[in-house]
Amino acid sequence: MTVNFFTTTFGILTRSVKLAVGLVPLLGFVLQLHARDTYYALLNLALFWRPRRPGNVIAQGKPGFGGIWPEYRAPSASDSRSPCPGLNALANHGILPRDGKKLTYKQMSHAIQYAYNLSPALGDQLTSSAYLLDQGRGWINLHDLNTLNIIQHDASFTRPDIAFCPDQSYPHAELVDRLLKCSSDGTVLTLEDWAYYSGLRRAECKASNGQYSMTYSFIHKFFGSGNAALLYSIFGGKVNDLETFLKEERIPEGWEPSNREPFGHTIIQAQKTSLEIEFNVNENQALRPGDSLLDQAKPNYGAVGKLISV
């Protein structure tokens, strides 16, 4: 094949057309997702005076109704797990397949909707990024989500950066403890506490990780703040519940979501809280007494279930 101006121009035009065609279904997905979310947000607004009652936040007949959750089993060496505590916990309780393999998007979306009282639109949004990993199969294994900057991201609250810890399947107790100690009153992590710990983690990861990927990426910073926003809303920031959930990836006995919207927590609500956290993150903040920036290149992190050397 001859390479010249005309073949190059033809190649550019062909790929541009393919890109435009490929973006059409993505745009359609985004539009319908936000239209649906607006619908659920308006229903929540109309019925704000009828939140779900304590003991009935989880729908009757669904796992977790009345605070009764299926048996927890720690994952075996052959089970597939991800950087996401929310998905891992559902697999550990058998709400998702315990081996964490061949999960469809509908399975994952429905599971997180009912377990964490999320709107169907938010459930679909949170699982949609996994489409980038399925290679046309229609399913993924949880371990596939270890890929950098899909769901996994640097400056995680519970995992060292992937440059130092390639297997992001397990939480690291030291990082979880540091997060929980940021609670200003020892019982609840406030929005201010989440913003503070986000700034601390970003500063220390940027300083010690030569492959740090979030310096100029607002999308991934916003995604990290989104994780904080969901933990704040779903758990009410309660330290005791978060310790169990983040360290063991286990749902506490008798627990139910703190968010009690009749049609589930919406994208609009999650984005509002995410922005409140993100725009209060300061990587150059004065550290609280007793805090210091951790050099990821030096310590060994004790992971729940196994020790990972970094």
Side-chain angles (χ1 to χ4, degrees):
M1 174 182 172
T2 302
V3 176
N4 55 42
F5 172 80
F6 298 104
T7 60
T8 303
T9 302
F10 179 76
I12 292 172
L13 292 174
T14 300
R15 294 196 184 189
S16 298
V17 170
K18 288 181 178 179
L19 176 62
V21 171
L23 287 175
V24 170
L26 175 62
L27 180 61
F29 173 76
V30 171
L31 290 175
Q32 65 86 18
L33 191 70
H34 285 276
R36 289 167 57 212
D37 189 69
T38 301
Y39 169 74
Y40 294 120
L42 290 173
L43 287 176
N44 284 337
L45 186 64
L47 296 174
F48 74 94
W49 51 277
R50 290 188 61 185
R52 298 190 185 196
R53 299 189 307 276
N56 290 273
V57 178
I58 305 293
Q60 188 168 6
K62 297 295 182 182
F65 173 70
I68 301 173
W69 295 91
E71 179 190 5
Y72 167 84
R73 294 182 206 161
S76 69
S78 62
D79 290 336
S80 183
R81 292 296 183 266
S82 76
C84 175
L87 291 173
N88 290 351
L90 297 183
N92 292 341
H93 282 275
I95 298 169
L96 289 172
R98 290 188 184 273
D99 64 2
K101 297 176 180 177
K102 294 189 175 181
L103 306 182
T104 68
Y105 309 110
K106 184 174 289 187
Q107 269 183 301
M108 292 187 288
S109 180
H110 285 186
I112 63 176
Q113 285 172 42
Y114 290 112
Y116 305 125
N117 190 27
L118 308 180
S119 74
L122 181 54
D124 287 349
Q125 183 201 51
L126 292 174
T127 54
S128 63
S129 58
Y131 278 104
L132 298 172
L133 302 171
D134 80 346
Q135 303 179 55
R137 299 171 301 187
W139 55 265
I140 63 166
N141 297 329
L142 286 179
H143 189 79
D144 295 336
L145 298 174
N146 278 273
T147 305
L148 179 63
N149 288 338
I150 299 296
I151 286 180
Q152 190 281 334
H153 58 85
D154 287 336
S156 164
F157 299 131
T158 63
R159 272 89 166 153
D161 289 351
I162 200 168
F164 301 98
C165 178
D167 185 358
Q168 296 277 303
S169 303
Y170 296 89
H172 290 247
E174 180 177 353
L175 291 178
V176 176
D177 285 338
R178 291 176 77 221
L179 165 64
L180 301 178
K181 287 177 182 176
C182 287
S183 168
S184 300
D185 64 1
T187 59
V188 172
L189 284 165
T190 64
L191 291 179
E192 291 79 10
D193 296 330
W194 286 106
Y196 170 79
Y197 190 61
S198 294
L200 185 153
R201 284 291 290 144
R202 292 180 192 180
E204 67 187 12
C205 291
K206 183 177 179 179
S208 61
N209 181 4
Q211 301 175 30
Y212 183 68
S213 63
M214 292 177 63
T215 302
Y216 303 109
S217 177
F218 176 79
I219 291 176
H220 294 109
K221 288 179 179 179
F222 184 69
F223 188 84
S225 292
N227 293 337
L230 288 174
L231 290 169
Y232 172 78
S233 298
I234 294 170
F235 286 86
K238 297 173 185 174
V239 167
N240 288 341
D241 289 341
L242 285 168
E243 181 172 19
T244 300
F245 184 73
L246 295 177
K247 274 190 175 180
E248 302 177 47
E249 299 188 329
R250 174 171 66 86
I251 298 174
E253 186 175 347
W255 178 86
E256 63 180 5
S258 295
N259 51 306
R260 295 166 52 198
E261 300 88 350
F263 287 88
H265 200 64
T266 63
I267 295 174
I268 294 171
Q269 290 174 287
Q271 288 181 339
K272 173 182 176 294
T273 310
S274 301
L275 289 170
E276 289 174 333
I277 294 172
E278 179 57 37
F279 287 115
N280 284 280
V281 173
N282 180 5
E283 297 177 24
N284 300 310
Q285 65 194 340
L287 298 183
R288 295 175 180 176
D291 284 339
S292 60
L293 299 184
L294 188 66
D295 185 348
Q296 294 187 104
K298 291 183 178 179
N300 288 338
Y301 291 85
V304 176
K306 64 180 181 179
L307 184 68
I308 297 178
S309 297
V310 298

